[in-house]
Amino acid sequence: MNEDFFSRRDIVKLSALLTAGGALPFLDAFKARAQAPDEPVKIGYLPITDATPLLVAHANGLFEAEGIKAEKPVLLRSWAQLVEAFISGQVNVVHVLSPIAVWARYGSKVPAKVVAWNHTSGSALTVGKDIGSVKDLGGKTVAIPFWYSIHNIVLQELLRANGLTPVTKKTDVAPNEVNLVILAPPDMVPALSAKQIAGYIVAEPFNAAGETLGVGKVLRFTGDVWKDHACCVVLLHERDLKERAAWSQKVVNAIVKAQVWTRENRVETAKLLSKDGSNKYTPHTVEVLTKVLAPAKTDITGYLASGAILHKDWNEQRIDFQPYPYPSYTEELVRLLKKTLIEGDRGFLDALDPAFAAKDLVDDSFVKTAITANGGLTAFGLPEGFERKEVIVT
């Protein structure tokens, strides 16, 4: 993959898009578009494992099983393209990084709502083989895919816990500082190989790719720092939720069923998503995707020995799937965003109340109905009850 994917140019483009001046023309066009009750599902996605439930739902005909049509998912090359396609109405169902959802709704007033989590965990901090601990990153450069990402948040929590200060300097990085740069995920593996960076933190399967190619090693899994954290969430337009509630419910039903199927068919999912699958949803090999979705027991043993996994009792999957958007997560996400180093205009965060965001950003009514119809939270290995306590241990 050499596409312009998560590039610095995209950061600038998305920053311009998610402002009143940039987003409003798209929003006006969307509001003017007629909303047919039987309009097909139009999925927008990036070719990463984050998109798994949306792609599985399409491949397995789960939308049609709910009585709605689904067009072939649209593969987009950047978060900027994905957000632009969503707010212009070119696509109507997308997965986005959970902090992007916060930025979109409150930083630029995009009328979107989180209706479900798309997946949990699914990311890692990969470093060069000469790096033995987080402290060894002092004075070096680490790449992140996006400022508004769980990757940036978790990395900075790890750095601070180890006495390191995240900065965005290009030169003269002090021994107690770590320079953060935005880098396209497909460029991360070669950059690490060339020792242009000391490590990167990103969604799968780029960590698995680095391991498979022998370029780097996983230092920590993000799910081993923030237990069962959401990475990508499902966004629907607020207007669809209000004016096409039945359609919206069917969309969420299909996504929840896709998550249940994926949990039970991990190897098959890797094949389905791969470049050799009939739909060629992603450019990744079955080998790399299987390492993420269905890792070998020897892999887990190795991660426990190396310290990539410190919390064996958490029983975290490398990537997992459960749809309920716990309010406690959104609250903690906003709290952490407030103290996370982020380039660009972030003034909206200062006035954003975490409890308000948890109620206003998320509409969990549809996913609760879908979960109940599919065996309850126990179908996802979770205790019943829609509350939990966030656990973050660096």
Side-chain angles (χ1 to χ4, degrees), residues 62-388:
L62 299 179
F63 294 111
E64 286 79 4
E66 291 293 323
I68 51 178
K69 296 180 180 179
E71 296 183 356
K72 182 179 180 180
V74 178
L75 188 157
L76 297 157
R77 299 299 183 183
S78 70
W79 293 117
Q81 288 184 11
L82 188 66
V83 173
E84 182 176 333
F86 176 71
I87 64 178
S88 67
Q90 297 173 45
V91 296
N92 51 30
V93 181
V94 295
H95 68 99
V96 298
L97 298 169
S98 53
I100 283 184
V102 176
W103 184 18
R105 186 164 179 86
Y106 303 111
S108 64
K109 310 302 181 185
V110 174
K113 288 265 193 178
V114 173
V115 293
W117 283 1
N118 208 47
H119 75 99
T120 59
S121 301
S123 300
L125 171 59
T126 295
V127 298
K129 294 183 178 180
D130 59 325
I131 301 295
S133 68
V134 173
K135 291 183 179 180
D136 290 342
L137 295 172
K140 297 179 173 61
T141 295
V142 175
I144 61 175
F146 202 76
W147 292 115
Y148 284 88
S149 66
I150 198 69
H151 315 97
N152 188 29
I153 292 171
V154 170
L155 174 62
Q156 292 191 31
E157 288 296 300
L158 280 171
L159 295 180
R160 293 191 183 95
N162 285 274
L164 299 173
T165 301
V167 299
T168 57
K169 300 176 181 178
K170 293 185 178 180
T171 58
D172 300 323
V173 183
N176 68 330
E177 295 177 334
V178 176
N179 186 43
L180 305 184
V181 296
I182 299 293
L183 195 62
D187 295 335
M188 289 179 174
V189 175
L192 183 61
S193 178
K195 299 188 182 301
Q196 296 170 344
I197 57 175
Y200 58 81
I201 186 166
V202 72
E204 298 290 6
F206 297 102
N207 304 289
E211 291 178 292
T212 301
L213 294 171
V215 171
K217 63 183 180 182
V218 171
L219 189 63
R220 286 294 297 278
F221 289 102
T222 60
D224 192 61
V225 177
W226 189 342
K227 185 179 180 181
D228 293 328
H229 71 76
C231 182
C232 270
V233 295
V234 180
L235 278 193
L236 291 184
H237 200 284
E238 193 167 12
R239 180 174 176 179
D240 281 335
L241 301 182
K242 293 179 179 178
E243 299 182 7
R244 298 197 298 166
W247 180 91
S248 299
Q249 183 64 66
K250 293 174 181 178
V251 169
V252 175
N253 289 348
I255 293 170
V256 170
K257 290 179 180 178
Q259 292 178 326
V260 172
W261 186 90
T262 299
R263 287 171 55 86
E264 298 173 351
N265 300 274
R266 289 176 172 272
V267 174
E268 292 79 358
T269 300
K271 295 176 182 178
L272 181 155
L273 297 177
S274 77
K275 64 180 182 179
D276 297 321
S278 59
N279 288 296
K280 301 184 185 302
Y281 288 125
T282 78
H284 309 299
T285 66
V286 173
E287 177 189 10
V288 168
L289 290 168
T290 300
K291 193 173 183 66
V292 176
L293 286 154
K297 290 183 179 179
T298 52
D299 282 0
I300 305 302
T301 300
Y303 296 138
L304 288 167
S306 70
I309 297 176
L310 296 179
H311 305 109
K312 181 181 180 180
D313 58 310
W314 288 7
N315 296 314
E316 288 282 297
Q317 294 283 348
R318 185 158 182 165
I319 186 171
D320 213 350
F321 305 92
Q322 81 80 15
Y324 186 68
Y326 289 97
S328 57
Y329 169 83
T330 304
E331 291 188 29
E332 189 63 26
L333 178 68
V334 172
R335 291 191 194 101
L336 291 177
L337 277 172
K338 286 174 177 285
K339 67 174 185 175
T340 299
L341 175 64
I342 298 172
E343 285 192 347
D345 183 8
R346 46 167 295 152
F348 73 93
L349 284 172
D350 296 335
L352 185 59
D353 177 64
F356 167 79
K359 294 179 180 179
D360 179 72
L361 177 64
V362 178
D363 184 339
D364 66 2
S365 60
F366 299 95
V367 75
K368 280 184 174 179
T369 297
I371 289 171
T372 299
N374 284 278
L377 287 173
T378 55
F380 302 93
L382 300 171
E384 293 296 350
F386 295 107
E387 294 182 359
R388 77 175 194 184

